[in-house]
Amino acid sequence: MGKIYKSARTTFAFILIIAVLLGFLYELYDIQIRNHEFYAAQNNTVKTYTVPLPAARGEIVDRNGTPLVTNRQGNSIVLNAAYFPPSDDNAERNRIVLNLIKLFRKQNEEYVHNLPLKLKGGKIAFFTKKDDERYESAIKTMKSRDMFNLQSYATAQNCFDAMVEKYGLEDYVRAGDVKTALEIGNVRYELTRLLFSVSNPVTIAEDVSDKTVAIIKENAESFTGADVKVVAYREYADSKLAPHVIGTIRKINAEEYAALKNEGYGINDEIGESGIEAAMEAYLRGVPGELTVTIDGDGRVTEEVTREPAQGDTIVLTIDKNLQALAQKKLEQICKSVDYFRSTGAVVVENCNNGEVLAAASYPAFDLNDYYKKYNELVKDRNTPLYNRFAMGTYAPGSTFKPMMATAALQEGVITENTVFNCDKVFKVRDMEFKCTGEHGGENVRTGLRDSCNIFFYNCATRLGIDKMNLYGSMFGLGEKTGVEIPEAKGILAGPEYRKRFDMLWLPGDTVQAAIGQSDNLFTPLQLCNYCATVANGGTRYQLHFVKSRISNATGVVSETGTNVVRTLDVSPKNIKTVQEGMRMVALEGGPAYVFSRIDTKVACKTGTSQVVVKGIKHNNGFLITYAPYDNPEISVATAIELAGSGSSTSQITSSVIDYYYSHNSNEKKAQQEGTLLN
């Protein structure tokens, strides 16, 4: 029985082997004889790839059409997989990469360096914050599954070893040339990181010289697969003008690429990082073109542009280039005159009647051309030049808060324009004393604004209460975002609601402190300027904006941003007029009177100071909100200078801005001095 079973099993196995062999023979016959022509054609099938062609970004111009950001042509060195040695030929790939590195060094060209490894004291080490602020994410990417596939605890040496193995760099290491291995690995790493393929060439050096281009073209065998691409680079009419408004661009990161690849972004694309470059990214980026690459069965490569790239739209800003330059210059001068090493500040100029920002400056600032070269240096600067003070800086506004208080008190009927409070320098709330800057005697609302009398507004606060104060503060947009296109801080409107977040009580003394712009009140210069504009125009609060219009590159059609009214204040014209008259008295008889008397245009304003402590020493920040002309307001100006001592000391910035505006604005008639005959 056992012999019969074994015999049957052997027979079955033999039959199975015969069947498999017959199958192979049939396939061989089918391929080589029966369908020879079909399979031969398949072997010579043409392979087609689509390579995206980057589009030039749209231009950015000022309100008068003066170019601020344009494009210029430059050369990039790109590795093209259609011509580069195959991925399994590490030796040849490394030879070409090394030739390129030697050329870049000789010509002083910068090239990619995104591998976060370095030689330190003869040993392999990770990048640190000193090398790159974003070193942690770079190291994480290097260890990821898609790159070297290492555990999170892998050492720098582990990463280097994985790199050597992956890219076949053992010969360099054995020869003791670790530095060369690291540099070749750096370029090879970039190819891996950016998914190098025929459809995705990778740029390894940007904006190189014509001499470097010529050497590569004349020595094609030494640089096989290296191609020269003419690309558009950002160019600035003045790279120091409005950097916080214009903003920066950079290469897209992995997270952004994952989120945006379905919208047509490539892993090599640039993207707006900050400012208008980021806010208007959808319009500025343009439409990429297409290059069709064909590789036939014999390896011959042909290329054809099948769709031309289309440049992005032109963005017209609300700012005036020359007014912006003046504001920056005067802001820098005042800050340096206050304290050359520590004083910082901001200035904002707004059209009172539509919310257009005519100028916005933050000091210190930075040079857009040097942003990436000096990024680490800029980040470490103690005066934080990258910080946008006009939009993100929040300050206790001091007495610039008082026009709002006066408006609220008048409108709520807790005072009239003739109400008088006596100022004897001290105001008591329960067992606490709050002081004024002087002993002013009897003060009404107009003189209270002129003299910035704390006692007058302490009285208003006790009659209004914090809820009513905050109602009007919110109506004027204080402690609320203005709506500009770039990131901005919300600020804080002091009150019980804010204190609750920290389980803190709101006391009666806090209310009187809040009334003079102290306590927890923190507002941005953008908010202060818009608040001033709302007082000036009679109670209409506009959304602030930096973009005036957009011009389509495809059609030439102009799309206006338009004017957006956020709120119309329910305040009587008479009460607004009373507050305006008090602000006019500040300009005529208050601290800034001397400066404002020297310009032709009539203005109204309010100064403010708030105390800060720097290294244990008390200082005052200075603020000034102003509008002009007084009789028919058109522009408002807000200045905030840290360590200025007083708001009056900032009036030189404001007077220069107003004088320039009416001297150079061809659409406006220069305002006349008081006491002169009409022209």
Side-chain angles (χ1 to χ4, degrees), residues 89-98 101 115 117 148 159-189:
D89 193 349
N90 275 323
E92 187 61 11
R93 283 194 167 194
N94 293 339
R95 181 189 71 83
I96 294 167
V97 168
L98 182 56
I101 289 171
L115 177 70
L117 295 176
F148 295 161
C159 294
F160 178 79
D161 293 341
M163 179 200 75
V164 168
E165 182 181 355
K166 185 178 182 72
Y167 301 132
L169 296 164
E170 292 87 353
D171 288 346
Y172 296 96
V173 176
R174 280 193 290 268
D177 197 354
V178 174
K179 182 179 179 182
T180 297
L182 189 60
E183 293 195 342
I184 295 173
N186 163 59
V187 176
R188 296 288 306 275
Y189 175 82

Side-chain angles (χ1 to χ4, degrees), residues 350-387:
E350 174 189 349
N351 184 320
C352 291
N353 301 308
N354 58 21
E356 292 180 351
V357 181
L358 304 177
S362 178
Y363 178 81
F366 60 96
D367 188 325
L368 286 165
N369 280 333
D370 294 338
Y371 175 72
Y372 288 107
K373 293 178 183 176
K374 297 184 177 180
Y375 181 77
N376 288 341
E377 180 183 329
L378 290 168
V379 167
K380 294 170 187 174
D381 191 316
R382 64 178 182 178
N383 283 333
T384 57
L386 298 181
Y387 186 56

Side-chain angles (χ1 to χ4, degrees), residues 500-512:
K500 282 179 184 177
R501 301 178 194 175
F502 308 98
D503 294 324
M504 296 173 65
L505 294 175
W506 183 262
L507 304 173
D510 294 318
T511 299
V512 298

Side-chain angles (χ1 to χ4, degrees), residues 496-554:
E497 185 177 342
Y498 175 73
R499 289 280 178 91
K500 282 179 184 177
R501 301 178 194 175
F502 308 98
D503 294 324
M504 296 173 65
L505 294 175
W506 183 262
L507 304 173
D510 294 318
T511 299
V512 298
Q513 282 290 86
I516 61 169
Q518 301 286 350
S519 183
D520 301 322
N521 283 317
L522 293 173
F523 311 131
T524 67
L526 283 175
Q527 290 174 10
L528 292 176
C529 193
N530 203 29
Y531 147 56
C532 181
T534 305
V535 173
N537 66 35
T540 302
R541 180 176 141 214
Y542 294 99
Q543 178 179 328
L544 285 187
H545 55 283
F546 284 106
V547 178
K548 186 176 179 65
S549 61
R550 174 174 57 87
I551 304 173
S552 169
N553 179 64

